[in-house]
């Protein structure tokens, strides 16, 4: 074989660092993007935030959301704003006024709002230990109770009581009866139902604290012997097995539904979490227009002072560092702009295709897949997928993830198509309007949908019903 050297021309796509950064920013959620921007500001001295709030970005259709007038170009407005920024503060200004940015009231309101939504509940184990301190326990009993409290799971149950009992007997020399007596004392504390070994015992502990009545006695019998049958058998059959009428059974079921299967739920720490929408949708002059949420897209710019230093600098290491930071800053700003433009184009296309949903609700949702958006905009399906991942749209009908607007198509009797989301909305409406004494079965739901021209199988209806967390018809009967 003869080895030779030659030149060959070919075309190919290479992922440059700038392209990789653009792809990375596009698929980020709002929270991840904020962290990425802050990290870029901390690591790159060329980047800085623009002072002042500035006007909202232009709508996709070229109209300002507030005035319904043609929006001025964003670049020109930014340039005007930058010219009005003084380079040196006046000597008679107060420093707190200069650095507050004129947003002291807004910052305080935000702080008050965050503090009001922080929920710091008492820990379950600390709550039980406080009650144990009020008991007249011996040192050994207090030690055993402390071990029992540590062994409870987050629901307040003993996940493996036999093993714990054997271990405590071996470590403390107490008998099983003595340990059961201590567990019984623990079960008398708050919250009611604490210290149970399973759901049945938890419900019985709660029923024992209620005043005696025929309804409580019947509920106790159900938990003792018919708890598994409660969800699987029809009301009439269960009433016959219990020897009572359906009205008494209905009252006992209502009492059982008022109990809690999770006594420790109120003691688990939680905090209200709010989703900031990436896109706002509003109807302006008869058109549905999408716009980027300005609060999640901070305005960044290149520091003019450091940029001027590059022009006057020589070929020193400092200049090389400044040039590198400048190039990275330009890449980042371009990637951020590209992300917002792509997200806005994809969101506007979704809005254009789902006007029926915005006007009439989920039952008017059209079938939509990634390929429909990508072919219309001339971009790859993976780009649409990244642009819609973990992004949220605020509409007059509520806040929805962009993925919500995509659904598969189901054929209709007239040869058209209907989206799976619309069918699920119809199933939910039919269930909400049904009679509680005679709920609609999956077969009946299928027949109603077919009468309305939607060809869907019974198993598909059952799958949609389960995805909506709607129980089957025999479990919905007489449910309040």
């Amino acid at each position: 074989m003869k080895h030779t050297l030659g030149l060959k021309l070919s075309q190919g796509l290479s992922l440059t660092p700038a392209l990789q950064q653009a792809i990375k920013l596009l698929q980020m959620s709002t929270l991840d993007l904020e962290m990425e921007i802050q990290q870029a500001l901390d690591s790159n001295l060329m980047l800085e935030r623009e002072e002042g709030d500035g006007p909202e970005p232009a709508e996709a259709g070229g109209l300002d959301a507030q005035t319904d007038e043609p929006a001025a170009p964003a670049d020109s407005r930014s340039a005007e704003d930058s010219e009005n920024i003084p380079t040196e503060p006046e000597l008679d200004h107060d420093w707190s006024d200069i650095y507050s940015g004129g947003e002291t009231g807004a910052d305080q309101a935000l702080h008050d709002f965050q503090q009001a939504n922080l929920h710091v509940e008492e820990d379950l184990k600390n709550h039980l230990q406080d009650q144990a301190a009020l008991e007249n326990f011996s040192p050994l009993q207090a030690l055993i109770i402390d071990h029992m409290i540590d062994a409870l799971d987050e629901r307040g149950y003993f996940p493996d009581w036999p093993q714990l009992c054997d271990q405590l007997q071996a470590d403390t020399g107490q008998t099983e009866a003595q340990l059961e007596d201590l567990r019984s004392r623990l079960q008398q504390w708050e919250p009611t139902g604490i210290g149970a070994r399973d759901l049945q015992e938890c419900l019985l502990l709660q029923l024992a604290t209620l005043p005696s009545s025929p309804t409580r006695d019947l509920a106790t019998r159900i938990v003792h012997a018919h708890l598994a049958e409660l969800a699987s058998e029809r009301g009439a059959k269960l009433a016959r097995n219990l020897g009572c009428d359906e009205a008494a059974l209905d009252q006992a079921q209502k009492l059982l539904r008022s109990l809690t299967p999770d006594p420790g739920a109120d003691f688990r720490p939680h905090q209200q979490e709010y989703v900031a929408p990436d896109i706002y949708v509003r109807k302006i002059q008869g058109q549905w227009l999408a716009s980027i949420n300005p609060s999640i897209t901070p305005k960044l710019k290149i520091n003019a002072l450091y940029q001027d230093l590059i022009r006057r600098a020589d070929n020193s290491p400092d200049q090389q560092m400044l040039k590198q930071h400048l190039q990275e800053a330009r890449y980042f700003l371009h990637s951020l702009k590209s992300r917002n433009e792509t997200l806005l184009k994809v969101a506007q296309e979704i809005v254009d295709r789902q006007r029926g949903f915005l006007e009439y609700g989920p039952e008017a949702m059209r079938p939509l897949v990634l390929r429909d958006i990508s072919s219309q905009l001339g971009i790859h399906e993976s780009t649409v997928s990244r642009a819609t991942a973990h992004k949220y749209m605020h509409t007059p009908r509520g806040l929805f993830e962009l993925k919500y607007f995509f659904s598969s198509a189901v054929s209709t009797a007239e040869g058209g198509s209907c989206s799976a989301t619309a069918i699920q909305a119809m199933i939910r409406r039919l269930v909400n309007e049904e009679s509680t004494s005679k709920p609609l079965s999956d077969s009946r739901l299928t027949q109603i949908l077919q009468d309305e021209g939607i060809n869907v199988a019974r198993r598909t209806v059952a799958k949609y019903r389960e995805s909506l967390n709607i129980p089957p018809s025999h479990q919905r009967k007489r449910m309040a």
Side-chain angles (χ1 to χ4, degrees):
M1 180 181 293
K2 183 179 180 181
H3 296 278
T4 60
L5 295 176
L7 295 176
K8 180 180 179 182
L9 295 177
S10 63
Q11 291 183 340
L13 178 64
S14 61
L15 289 178
T16 63
L19 182 57
Q20 293 178 11
Q21 185 179 59
I23 294 175
K24 178 183 177 182
L25 293 181
L26 180 60
Q27 63 188 3
M28 281 185 174
S29 64
T30 300
L31 181 59
D32 293 337
L33 179 63
E34 291 178 354
M35 296 174 62
E36 186 72 15
I37 291 176
Q38 188 59 48
Q39 182 179 356
L41 289 170
D42 295 339
S43 60
N44 193 317
L45 54 84
M46 282 291 178
L47 283 175
E48 65 178 2
R49 295 180 184 268
E50 289 190 7
E51 298 296 333
D53 293 335
E56 290 190 4
E59 302 286 337
L63 297 176
D64 185 85
Q66 304 297 330
T67 62
D68 291 352
E69 296 294 333
D75 295 340
S76 63
R77 290 182 293 179
S78 300
E80 294 173 2
D81 293 342
S82 62
E83 292 177 358
N84 296 327
I85 300 176
T87 56
E88 294 291 340
E90 297 181 11
L91 296 179
D92 58 348
H93 280 185
D94 185 80
W95 285 109
S96 60
D97 295 335
I98 296 174
Y99 287 103
S100 64
E103 298 179 353
T104 304
D107 293 342
Q108 183 62 38
L110 176 61
H111 175 75
D112 295 342
F113 173 78
Q114 292 174 338
Q115 292 300 316
N117 285 276
L118 286 175
H119 299 273
V120 183
E121 288 84 2
E122 184 182 9
D123 182 76
L124 175 61
K125 294 182 179 180
N126 292 335
H127 180 68
L128 295 175
Q129 288 170 350
D130 291 342
Q131 298 178 73
L134 302 177
E135 297 284 346
N136 188 22
F137 287 134
S138 67
L140 180 58
Q141 290 176 328
L143 179 62
I144 295 175
I145 282 290
D146 192 56
H147 279 289
M148 288 185 178
I149 293 175
D150 286 337
L152 293 172
D153 61 16
E154 63 177 8
R155 300 177 302 163
Y157 285 33
F158 284 112
D160 194 349
W161 170 253
Q163 180 180 356
L164 177 62
C165 188
D166 293 340
Q167 181 181 348
L168 290 176
Q169 289 183 65
D171 293 343
T172 64
Q174 298 290 294
T175 64
E176 182 178 355
Q178 291 172 319
L179 296 177
E180 286 287 354
D181 179 67
L182 288 176
R183 189 171 73 93
S184 298
R185 294 178 66 176
L186 183 148
Q187 291 173 341
Q188 297 173 9
W189 301 344
E190 292 292 335
T192 308
I194 200 73
R197 292 167 294 186
D198 51 34
L199 174 61
Q200 183 183 52
E201 186 176 11
C202 178
L203 297 178
L204 290 175
L205 289 172
Q206 297 177 61
L207 288 171
T209 63
L210 301 178
S212 178
S213 66
T215 300
R216 190 201 73 168
D217 296 340
L218 179 59
T220 303
R221 289 175 53 199
I222 293 175
V223 175
H224 265 300
H226 301 278
L227 186 60
E229 305 168 8
L230 187 61
S232 60
E233 292 190 355
R234 297 180 180 273
K237 181 178 180 181
L238 184 58
R240 289 195 301 270
N241 294 338
L242 292 168
C244 64
D245 55 28
E246 292 191 37
L249 176 61
D250 187 53
Q251 293 298 319
Q253 289 177 327
K254 290 181 180 179
L255 177 59
L256 290 175
R257 286 195 291 271
S258 67
L259 306 178
T260 173
D262 189 356
D266 293 337
F267 294 88
R268 288 197 287 273
H270 65 279
Q271 177 181 348
Q272 294 289 350
E273 296 182 358
Y274 297 89
V275 175
D278 300 84
I279 299 292
Y280 280 108
V281 177
R282 285 166 286 192
K283 193 173 186 180
I284 301 175
Q285 296 182 352
Q287 295 183 350
W288 289 100
L289 299 178
S291 62
I292 298 288
N293 182 0
S295 63
I296 64 170
T297 54
K299 295 183 177 66
L300 304 180
K301 66 178 183 178
I302 294 177
N303 189 296
L305 176 61
Y306 289 119
Q307 191 173 14
D308 291 340
L309 290 178
I310 294 179
R311 297 168 186 166
R312 296 193 299 265
D314 54 16
N315 293 326
S316 64
D318 292 337
Q319 184 200 31
Q320 299 302 321
M321 182 268 292
L322 290 175
K323 285 185 176 181
Q324 180 181 357
H325 279 220
L326 178 61
Q327 183 180 20
E328 292 176 354
R330 286 172 174 169
Y331 282 157
F332 188 81
L333 292 177
H334 181 270
S335 299
L336 192 60
K337 179 182 178 182
S338 176
R339 175 192 187 274
N340 293 338
E341 291 176 349
T342 302
L343 178 59
L344 185 58
K345 288 193 298 183
V346 171
Q348 184 60 50
E349 184 64 24
I350 292 175
V351 169
D352 293 340
R353 290 177 176 267
Q354 299 295 2
R355 286 194 300 267
F357 166 81
L358 297 172
E359 296 282 356
Y360 307 107
E363 293 189 26
M365 186 81 77
R366 294 177 55 189
L368 185 64
V369 294
L370 298 177
R371 183 173 59 258
D372 298 333
I373 303 295
S374 64
S375 60
Q376 179 66 28
L377 298 179
I379 57 180
H380 198 270
E381 290 183 33
S382 61
T383 303
V384 179
S385 178
R386 292 187 180 98
T388 55
H390 311 295
K391 313 295 191 307
Y392 291 85
M393 178 185 291
H394 185 276
T395 72
R397 295 192 174 274
L399 183 67
F400 301 93
E401 189 176 6
L402 291 184
K403 294 289 188 183
Y404 172 78
F405 296 95
F406 294 87
S407 61
S408 57
V410 177
S411 62
T412 62
E414 297 179 355
S417 61
C418 180
S419 71
T421 303
I423 297 176
Q424 292 178 5
M426 296 174 67
I427 292 175
R428 183 179 292 280
R429 173 176 58 83
L430 293 172
V431 170
N432 291 337
E433 296 174 353
E434 70 183 4
S435 172
T436 56
S437 61
K438 191 176 181 181
L440 299 173
S441 64
D442 293 341
S443 299
R444 180 56 183 158
L445 289 172
T446 303
Q447 184 61 46
I448 294 175
L449 292 175
Q450 290 177 350
D451 293 340
E452 296 187 10
I454 301 175
N455 297 323
V456 60
R458 188 197 63 80
R459 61 180 177 273
T460 305
V461 171
K463 181 182 69 174
Y464 289 163
R465 175 182 55 75
E466 292 173 356
S467 67
L468 295 172
N469 295 321
I470 298 176
S473 58
H474 67 273
Q475 295 183 17
R476 302 198 305 271
K477 187 174 182 180
R478 291 185 177 275
M479 292 182 66

